[in-house]
Amino acid sequence: MGFVVNKRGFLAPLPPLVLALLFVQRFTVVVSALNYTNHRQVSSMRLERIQRHLDKINKPPVMTIESPDGDIIDCVHKRKQPALDHPLLKNHKIQREPPEMPRVKALKEDDELRSERTKKSNEAEGVRGSWQMWHRNGTRCPQGTVPIRRSAVHDVLRAKSLFDFGKKQQRSISLARHIDAPDVVSGNGHEHAIAYTGSSQEVYGAKATINVWGPPIQVVNEFSLSQIWILSGSFDGSDLNSIEAGWQVSPELYGDSRPRLFTYWTSDSYQATGCYNLLCAGFVQTHSRIAIGAAISPVSSYTGNQYDISILIWKDPKLGNWWMSFGDNTLVGYWPAELFTHLAEHATMVEWGGEVVNSRANGKHTSTQMGSGHFAEDGFGKASYFRNLEIVDSDNSLSSARSISTLAENTNCYNIQSSYSNEWGTNFYYGGPGNNPRCP
């Protein structure tokens, strides 16, 4: 069967007459794709391979919601979601028992006062929580289903290949890397501004509240993200386990420049396992109102209102799955323990911060911005922040991440400054504009 790409980027069957004409023209289809996809010719054989892949990850919906930003959100029965296609999850039963939430260590009177001051301080400074754009039309997915952002042909065509679709590029790890921050030295164009814990402790989760911005991206195959990394394994080998979540602007992955909630996982140093969001089998979604990969709205503005999201990732002490909550402890879903080797036990390091891809188009450092696009020293309302950094310990208790280090590869392009306050606990400002006179 032949296919044509419709205006939404999905494949539709070709009429018989058109199919015959295409046969005469050697099965060449011209794909005119908007949203960052270049005009190019794609063979119908490749289109059919892409469609077979999309049929695997775009599960039949119970109902469909069209977001104001153009996203198509499919409400899929939770037992039909992509996660359960994973060979390690053939006999997996979706966890129905709510996980045991991490406990906040006994609050002292001054901690209670700090919590109240934080709330009042945030209200006074114009800090508000962000949500998701697809909620604006008031339609919700029914109970028993999960919302999944539909992928289209154009999404795949923006990737280097079908194999690369939905995957981070494998990182080149330098032998000259900082010994305590092994996952952040860029040998392949990735640059960071991060805070991190030491590598000698057992960690069972982490939390942070992350300022949300919409940084401009210079070229389509670059991205800018702000996230939490939960890590274990050998950083200079092929068995690194990583669980990641935060917000990301990625024209290549999403076809636009909006910040989006994302997740990622790998159990082999980004080589073959894992993917973003629900673009492969793995992450099990349980909530009907959070769509991973959907746009976050509203976003912060320079000297204006500041918007942020809270993300908690932790290992359920009963069943061992790694859960994620969003906002006010809304349980989004979990990464089953079966997916991992080292993280099946615990993490050995946590990182919080920003990452960009610097492709050096035209031989210059990218102008892709990190965070707000302003350096850390500009402070509140101008620079982006992470606040209330916390870690989960072996008894499933949350406590402030007091002993952190910071790292930025090139402080003339992007930098980071950490501090501690009664209202924001352990926190930091970070980011930068990329290309500038000091960052050529």
Side-chain angles (χ1 to χ4, degrees):
M1 179 180 289
F3 299 92
V4 64
V5 183
N6 64 25
K7 64 182 180 180
R8 287 186 176 178
F10 303 110
L11 288 184
L14 286 168
L17 178 59
V18 177
L19 184 60
L21 289 172
L22 285 177
F23 181 84
V24 173
Q25 295 170 12
R26 300 174 63 86
F27 289 93
T28 299
V29 178
V30 178
V31 176
S32 175
L34 302 178
N35 295 333
Y36 296 94
T37 306
N38 294 326
H39 294 264
R40 55 175 164 165
Q41 289 189 333
V42 182
S43 71
S44 63
M45 184 177 296
R46 186 182 179 202
L47 285 175
E48 289 179 3
R49 283 199 303 269
I50 290 173
Q51 188 60 45
R52 285 196 297 270
H53 181 73
L54 292 176
D55 289 343
K56 290 181 181 179
I57 61 175
N58 290 330
K59 300 299 185 180
V62 172
M63 67 176 287
T64 294
I65 300 169
E66 185 165 355
S67 173
D69 62 358
D71 279 0
I72 303 298
I73 305 297
D74 288 328
C75 304
V76 176
H77 194 285
K78 63 174 59 177
R79 294 191 184 91
K80 302 293 185 181
Q81 63 181 294
L84 303 180
D85 292 338
H86 197 288
L88 294 176
L89 302 179
K90 289 296 184 185
N91 299 315
H92 183 83
K93 293 184 178 180
I94 295 176
Q95 183 173 338
R96 301 181 64 179
E97 180 185 356
E100 183 181 332
M101 295 290 293
R103 300 177 296 274
V104 178
K105 288 193 173 179
L107 290 175
K108 301 175 184 177
E109 184 176 354
D110 58 343
D111 291 325
E112 292 173 345
L113 291 172
R114 184 188 75 186
S115 178
E116 185 62 27
R117 281 199 305 268
T118 300
K119 181 179 178 181
K120 291 180 178 178
S121 174
N122 289 343
E123 291 171 351
E125 292 176 336
V127 175
R128 296 172 171 85
S130 286
W131 201 235
Q132 292 198 303
M133 191 175 291
W134 69 280
H135 292 160
R136 287 185 181 177
N137 65 8
T139 309
R140 300 288 183 267
C141 283
Q143 286 296 112
T145 68
V146 292
I148 301 178
R149 180 181 182 270
R150 189 186 301 178
S151 296
V153 173
H154 294 336
D155 296 324
V156 181
L157 291 177
R158 286 190 300 270
K160 284 199 310 183
S161 68
L162 184 57
F163 175 81
D164 291 314
F165 174 59
K167 290 184 169 62
K168 277 190 176 182
Q169 298 304 304
Q170 185 178 357
R171 297 183 178 190
S172 299
I173 306 299
S174 168
L175 293 178
R177 57 177 165 76
H178 191 294
I179 191 168
D180 285 331
D183 192 41
V184 299
V185 175
S186 56
N188 60 347
H190 289 246
E191 296 187 20
H192 308 76
I194 65 154
Y196 58 95
T197 63
S199 58
S200 59
Q201 62 187 112
E202 293 184 4
V203 183
Y204 293 82
K207 184 178 183 180
T209 297
I210 310 171
N211 199 194
V212 181
W213 293 80
I217 310 299
Q218 181 180 340
V219 295
V220 67
N221 64 341
E222 295 180 342
F223 64 66
S224 181
L225 58 75
S226 297
Q227 69 168 72
I228 301 172
W229 288 262
I230 308 289
L231 300 161
S232 189
S234 57
F235 298 102
D236 54 359
S238 61
D239 65 340
L240 178 68
N241 289 199
S242 183
I243 290 173
E244 307 169 22
W247 64 260
Q248 174 188 47
V249 177
S250 175
E252 179 178 274
L253 189 58
Y254 306 106
D256 62 23
S257 56
R258 295 181 178 91
R260 294 170 175 274
L261 176 69
F262 83 93
T263 60
Y264 199 90
W265 70 274
T266 180
S267 61
D268 64 354
S269 299
Y270 307 93
Q271 294 182 105
T273 63
C275 62
Y276 281 110
N277 309 331
L278 304 182
L279 295 177
C280 69
F283 184 85
V284 178
Q285 185 154 341
T286 59
H287 203 275
S288 63
R289 291 193 61 191
I290 306 296
I292 301 172
I296 299 171
S297 179
V299 300
S300 304
S301 60
Y302 187 75
T303 70
N305 285 332
Q306 300 301 296
Y307 295 91
D308 55 30
I309 57 174
S310 294
I311 290 177
L312 166 64
I313 302 169
W314 84 103
K315 187 174 174 57
D316 180 11
K318 290 185 178 179
L319 297 180
N321 300 318
W322 287 88
W323 277 83
M324 171 183 165
S325 76
F326 176 80
D328 187 18
N329 292 330
T330 298
L331 296 174
V332 179
Y334 62 90
W335 294 268
E338 296 98 311
L339 297 176
F340 303 104
T341 53
H342 301 287
L343 281 177
E345 299 298 325
H346 55 76
T348 54
M349 178 179 284
V350 174
E351 297 170 0
W352 302 262
E355 177 182 3
V356 300
V357 172
N358 172 28
S359 63
R360 295 197 66 85
N362 303 320
K364 297 180 179 179
H365 191 286
T366 184
S367 59
T368 289
Q369 297 179 2
M370 180 188 293
S372 70
H374 291 263
F375 288 112
E377 53 267 26
D378 287 355
F380 184 81
K382 299 177 181 178
S384 187
Y385 62 78
F386 276 61
R387 62 179 174 90
N388 303 107
L389 273 59
E390 296 177 290
I391 58 173
V392 181
D393 60 22
S394 58
D395 67 354
N396 203 34
S397 295
L398 267 173
S399 59
S400 182
R402 294 293 186 103
S403 301
I404 63 168
S405 303
T406 60
L407 177 72
E409 293 99 335
N410 190 341
T411 56
N412 290 327
C413 306
Y414 315 104
N415 70 353
I416 181 170
Q417 292 181 358
S418 65
S419 63
Y420 184 89
S421 72
N422 286 333
E423 289 79 17
W424 281 17
T426 301
N427 65 88
F428 60 83
Y429 289 98
Y430 70 104
N435 182 265
N436 69 80
R438 295 188 303 148
C439 175

